[in-house]
Amino acid sequence: FLTLLRTTPQIAYWGIASLAFIYTRLELFHLQPTLPFLALIFADPKIYRARLSSAALIILLLISIRQIGRNLDQPDRFYEDSTIAISAWLKSHTRPGEKIYLLNTWDHIYVLSNTLPSIDPWVHYLPWYLAFPGVQEGIISDLQVARPRFIISEALPGIPQTQVESFVATRYLPTTKISDRFTIWEPK
């Protein structure tokens, strides 16, 4: 690494910058917006040799060290114990390829539990997707047709906030809680 720093400092800087992106518990992809600015800083030889590049290098090192220290003993993001628990529960209570619906949680549970989404086309449950005209109505229509045996939700508010949540609350009952994070809903 030090050899790279002496011969081609911009490669070393990029290596240090990449440290902040290699840890699986990085808070999603929040550092990606910094990439264009890093590219501009390190692309111009006049800038990367200046004090600005030294300051950027120190900041990147501090961010990387902070991320490493904060997340070193944590499990990989999206594979926490609760996610493994819900996936195991679904594997034992569903057939391979059975259709379920994940309400307000991440879609990798479909893969981990060997299940499929009950809506087609599949739309992830994110507010900006649901805001498009007709998306919620399409989800509700698919749920009425497919009538999945299980809907899995995470951290729903007491009062339904979306049409989909209202649909689930009126047609399904919360029956099982898995690891204080997930709720299993079954048809009434």
Side-chain angles (χ1 to χ4, degrees), residues 101 103-105 151-156 181-185:
Y101 183 63
L103 177 68
N104 195 33
T105 192
I151 293 178
I152 290 70
S153 71
E154 179 179 0
L156 286 180
R181 179 176 168 197
F182 295 103
T183 303
I184 310 285
W185 296 74

Side-chain angles (χ1 to χ4, degrees), residues 101 103 125 130 135-137 139-140 143 151 160-170:
Y101 183 63
L103 177 68
Y125 196 84
L130 297 177
V135 170
Q136 290 192 64
E137 292 82 1
I139 291 172
I140 291 169
L143 290 175
I151 293 178
Q161 304 293 313
T162 65
Q163 294 172 22
V164 176
E165 290 174 11
S166 294
F167 174 83
V168 170
T170 58

